[in-house]
């Protein structure tokens, strides 16, 4: 077998194996938005960002169940075009929230640093 054929065959085998392996954890829960936002999973926690012009909410779910955010904090950097806005989210019932005036549009990017139980996580979103 020629070296280029061997390389192509090995690449195909590895790609098929990686595809078949799938995600390394059990997906007994869905990663779908429950509040009309954008969902991203980081370290087995689902973060759902709901960004509107007057309110930004961040919902956290641990394996499909709402996470306790009573002592959580979050700092969000919102990027819309060339505009950058820093937002502090605070506990509001079962979510983290900030009210005010926010420039949000499809394609806006947001980076949140969320601290729960003293452990920070960085979460990146692209709004739809």
């Amino acid at each position: 077998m020629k070296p280029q054929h061997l390389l192509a065959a090995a690449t195909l085998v590895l790609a098929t194996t990686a595809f078949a392996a799938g995600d390394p954890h059990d997906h007994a829960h869905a990663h779908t938005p429950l509040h009309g936002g954008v969902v991203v999973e980081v370290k087995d926690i689902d973060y759902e960002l709901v960004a509107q012009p007057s309110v930004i909410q961040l919902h956290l779910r641990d394996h499909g169940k709402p996470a306790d955010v009573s002592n959580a904090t979050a700092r969000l950097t919102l990027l819309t075009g060339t505009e950058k806005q820093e937002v502090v989210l605070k506990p509001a019932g079962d979510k983290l929230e900030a009210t005010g005036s926010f420039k949000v549009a499809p394609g806006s990017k947001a980076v949140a640093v969320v601290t729960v139980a003293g452990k920070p996580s960085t979460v990146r979103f692209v709004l739809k």
Side-chain angles (χ1 to χ4, degrees):
M1 189 177 245
K2 292 184 179 182
Q4 60 267 37
H5 291 152
L6 183 59
L7 179 61
T11 301
L12 183 59
V13 168
L14 291 174
T16 304
T17 305
F19 177 77
D23 221 301
H25 70 279
D26 179 21
H27 270 90
H29 62 284
H31 301 289
T32 56
L34 300 179
H35 306 280
V38 177
V39 177
V40 173
E41 181 186 26
V42 176
K43 298 179 186 174
D44 290 332
I45 301 289
D46 286 345
Y47 297 85
E48 182 177 356
L49 180 67
V50 180
Q52 299 174 345
S54 61
V55 65
I56 294 181
Q57 299 174 334
L58 187 60
H59 301 266
L60 281 66
R61 292 189 305 269
D62 185 357
H63 293 89
K65 297 178 183 167
D68 179 14
V69 296
S70 60
N71 293 314
T73 61
R75 181 172 298 280
L76 184 95
T77 303
L78 186 60
L79 304 166
T80 304
T82 60
E83 306 247 353
K84 179 179 176 181
Q85 189 172 13
E86 298 288 332
V87 181
V88 175
L89 302 165
K90 296 186 178 184
D94 63 346
K95 63 192 165 294
L96 297 168
E97 182 176 86
T99 57
S101 179
F102 309 106
K103 288 197 174 192
V104 293
S108 293
K109 295 179 172 78
V111 178
V113 177
V114 184
T115 304
V116 179
K119 297 178 183 175
S121 293
T122 301
V123 190
R124 291 169 171 69
F125 301 91
V126 177
L127 303 182
K128 295 180 182 179

